[in-house]
Amino acid sequence: MKINQILQNTIKEMEIVKLVAEIKSKISKFKSEGKTIGFVPTMGALHQGHLSLADASVKNNDITVVSIFVNPTQFNNPEDLSSYPRTIENDLEKLSVYKPDLIFIPDVSEIYPEQDTRIFEFGLLDKVMEGKNRPGHFNGVAQVVSKLFDIVSPNNAYFGQKDFQQIAVIKQMTKDLKLSVNIVSCPIIREKDGLAMSSRNVLLTEEQRKNACKISETLFKARNLAPELSVSQLKEWVVDEINKNIYLSVEYFEIVNDTTLEVIKDWNESNNKIGCITVQVGKTRLIDNVTFKY
């Protein structure tokens, strides 16, 4: 189905906008009418996790904007950027069920009319875990999200908890730039076998997909084992348990303070602990996390 056909079916509920000037004009009009703006920034290849964010925004705001933009500045690896799934027609069909008001699909030249050379300082937040393994990634995230916030001027912006470290960075960026945007963190949506939904899941082979559920399965077991093991013992157990599977290779597993992202060394250190993991499955990196209440 072509985009124009989808547009014909959904034009009454959704409007597709490609130009920054046009969407700013529409948002300005809505705000002048006293309407609240909810925003869901995505890179497309939408799954139920993204759609749950759109659903939450539609239910809690007068106007909902969903953006679909694969941001080049947050990719360290050119191959990762080129292989990132782009499924715009399917995305629009899925969104039509939830009826967001505006779908913003800009070209790269609209978001970056000139090179963005801004460097953000996040202290520890972008130096550990994903930041350590993907240098510059979160700076690229901050560049694009700050630009999108400036364009859409939302009251509320919705992000999934699967990207836990990203939410921490965006909250800090919002604070540093003194933006009046409320960052809403929404629960991880999982497949029936427990695998966290991700746009990258479609890149897995059939055998890789069958075995990828071992990631969440191990995290859930770890949560139950926490009272019996020290933090270091539990971390070692998780890594060993997942690496036993020939399809999986742990890049890192850390248990951190859920606000500062400082590594937890003892269960008594903090009441807010989250275990964050990245696993290489073939050429695909999958992330997940689980909260420890112990």
Side-chain angles (χ1 to χ4, degrees):
M1 186 180 289
K2 300 300 182 185
I3 291 179
N4 286 342
Q5 291 174 291
I6 297 171
L7 262 174
Q8 290 171 8
N9 296 336
T10 62
I11 191 66
K12 292 180 181 178
E13 295 88 12
M14 303 192 312
E15 184 175 359
I16 295 175
V17 182
K18 293 189 174 183
L19 301 179
V20 168
E22 184 181 358
I23 198 161
K24 277 190 168 184
S25 174
K26 290 180 182 297
I27 295 293
S28 178
K29 180 177 181 295
F30 288 135
K31 289 213 157 190
S32 72
E33 296 168 353
K35 293 181 177 178
T36 56
I37 310 297
F39 180 42
V40 182
T42 83
M43 294 207 298
L46 304 184
H47 51 68
Q48 197 56 45
H50 299 109
L51 299 176
S52 71
L53 305 181
D55 187 38
S57 180
V58 168
K59 287 176 178 175
N60 293 285
N61 298 274
D62 298 317
I63 299 295
T64 288
V65 181
V66 177
S67 66
I68 299 175
F69 177 69
V70 181
N71 175 43
T73 70
Q74 69 189 68
F75 286 85
N76 309 74
N77 185 341
E79 287 184 20
D80 199 15
L81 173 60
S82 63
S83 67
Y84 194 87
R86 293 162 171 82
T87 58
I88 188 67
E89 294 175 10
N90 286 336
D91 292 344
L92 293 174
E93 285 187 290
K94 290 175 180 178
L95 284 169
S96 68
V97 175
Y98 297 87
K99 299 179 176 57
D101 302 274
L102 297 173
I103 313 298
F104 183 42
I105 312 178
D107 290 333
V108 173
S109 59
E110 278 292 300
I111 301 299
Y112 299 108
E114 55 189 38
Q115 185 179 4
D116 190 340
T117 58
R118 291 176 298 163
I119 302 296
F120 292 82
E121 292 295 335
F122 296 115
L124 183 68
L125 294 181
D126 66 338
K127 305 295 189 299
V128 297
M129 299 188 297
E130 286 298 285
K132 182 179 179 181
N133 288 270
R134 301 175 67 187
H137 167 70
F138 287 118
N139 197 75
V141 169
Q143 286 177 342
V144 73
V145 173
S146 61
K147 280 178 173 286
L148 289 170
F149 281 179
D150 178 64
I151 293 165
V152 177
S153 189
N155 300 93
N156 301 296
Y158 296 79
F159 297 88
Q161 287 180 1
K162 180 174 70 69
D163 297 295
F164 185 85
Q165 188 172 4
Q166 175 176 278
I167 294 174
V169 166
I170 290 170
K171 284 182 176 178
Q172 187 62 49
M173 177 208 74
T174 303
K175 180 181 178 182
D176 291 345
L177 297 180
K178 297 180 172 58
L179 304 177
S180 56
V181 182
N182 177 40
I183 306 302
V184 183
S185 178
C186 298
I188 296 173
I189 304 297
R190 298 184 179 277
E191 304 283 358
K192 289 181 180 178
D193 63 1
L195 179 66
M197 288 190 177
S198 169
S199 302
R200 298 174 189 272
N201 290 351
V202 299
L203 302 175
L204 303 175
T205 67
E206 186 177 346
E207 282 303 310
Q208 289 170 345
R209 174 61 190 84
K210 284 181 183 176
N211 287 274
C213 63
K214 181 73 173 178
I215 301 168
S216 57
E217 178 186 313
T218 303
L219 291 180
F220 298 153
K221 286 182 180 177
R223 192 162 51 189
N224 295 329
L225 281 173
E228 302 173 25
L229 301 174
S230 68
V231 173
S232 60
Q233 288 172 332
L234 187 67
K235 286 168 61 175
E236 184 178 351
W237 180 85
V238 167
V239 172
D240 289 346
E241 191 70 12
I242 292 176
N243 283 344
K244 285 177 187 176
N245 188 298
I246 62 170
Y247 293 94
L248 311 177
S249 177
V250 176
E251 192 171 294
Y252 67 80
F253 174 61
E254 293 289 356
I255 300 174
V256 300
N257 179 294
D258 74 345
T259 303
T260 65
L261 301 190
E262 292 178 293
V263 171
I264 297 294
K265 295 181 180 178
D266 187 284
W267 292 121
N268 295 320
E269 281 185 39
S270 166
N271 292 323
N272 306 299
K273 311 173 188 71
I274 186 162
C276 298
I277 196 165
T278 288
V279 179
Q280 196 78 32
V281 188
K283 293 184 177 181
T284 304
R285 295 174 81 254
L286 298 182
I287 65 174
D288 202 347
N289 61 72
V290 67
T291 300
F292 288 92
K293 297 182 179 180
Y294 175 63

